[in-house]
Amino acid sequence: MTYFWLKAGHIIFVIFWMAGLFMLPRLFVYHQEAPEGSEEAARYVERERRLLKIILLPSIIVVWVLGLMLAMTTGAFSQGWFHAKLLFVIVLSGYHGWLSAYAKKLARGERSMDGKTLRLLNEVPGLAAVVIVILVVIKPF
Ligand code: HEM
């Protein structure tokens, strides 16, 4: 029973986390289309800050805590698929950290990436999710 509740909570917060990871680079693209120093740009700074603080940060914490509790419940630490999953989840967490740093740069008025690169980077969470879900459901090794 504990296992199913942990898993339900894990999946719910994975959805919140992924939604935030998909949304933030989109906001960056629109933000960078607004003139620097404009009121519109300032509104994007606030939207990005709130998305990071209210959705992304709590979600990544809950996903990690429930995921590690699930691993302890099922003994996944000794299984190959779990090691591979951890690798991709660490990549995804690093991507989250990078987004957070880029939001701070944008807030300071630094725009080091163009919209095309940001749109390309937006594929990272989608690809990682495909691999992670296959690993966790099929458990190929
Ligand atoms: C952040 C670190 C994470 C850890 C430590 C973790 C760990 C786990 C563990 C141990 C399970 C139970 C597997 C089983 O029932 O045998 C699980 C289930 C699951 N995880 Fe994660 N997970 C993490 C992040 C993610 C992410 C980012 C995604 C999706 C993008 C994800 C998607 C899922 C899904 C869909 C299940 C249910 C699989 C099933 O019941 O067949 N997890 N996770």
Side-chain angles (χ1 to χ4, degrees), residues 3 7 10-11 14 17-18 63-64 67-68 70-71 74 76 81-82 85-86 89 92 129 132-133 136-137 139:
Y3 164 75
K7 194 150 86 170
H10 180 65
I11 294 170
V14 161
W17 187 31
M18 297 303 299
V63 167
W64 267 101
L68 291 173
L70 270 171
T74 61
W81 66 268
F82 184 68
K85 174 174 174 170
L86 265 187
V89 170
L92 211 52
I132 291 170
V133 170
V136 87
V137 174
K139 299 188 175 71

Side-chain angles (χ1 to χ4, degrees), residues 72-136:
M72 283 190 270
T73 311
T74 61
F77 286 111
S78 59
Q79 294 162 20
W81 66 268
F82 184 68
H83 301 153
K85 174 174 174 170
L86 265 187
L87 185 74
F88 281 92
V89 170
I90 288 167
V91 169
L92 211 52
S93 304
Y95 176 73
H96 179 157
W98 177 82
L99 288 179
S100 173
Y102 195 75
K104 289 197 181 96
K105 268 179 134 182
L106 278 180
R108 290 195 298 268
E110 294 168 38
R111 301 174 172 199
S112 54
M113 285 199 163
D114 60 22
K116 206 173 155 208
T117 316
L118 283 171
R119 281 188 173 90
L120 211 68
L121 275 169
N122 213 359
E123 305 302 325
V124 171
L127 292 174
V130 168
V131 177
I132 291 170
V133 170
I134 289 173
L135 281 168
V136 87

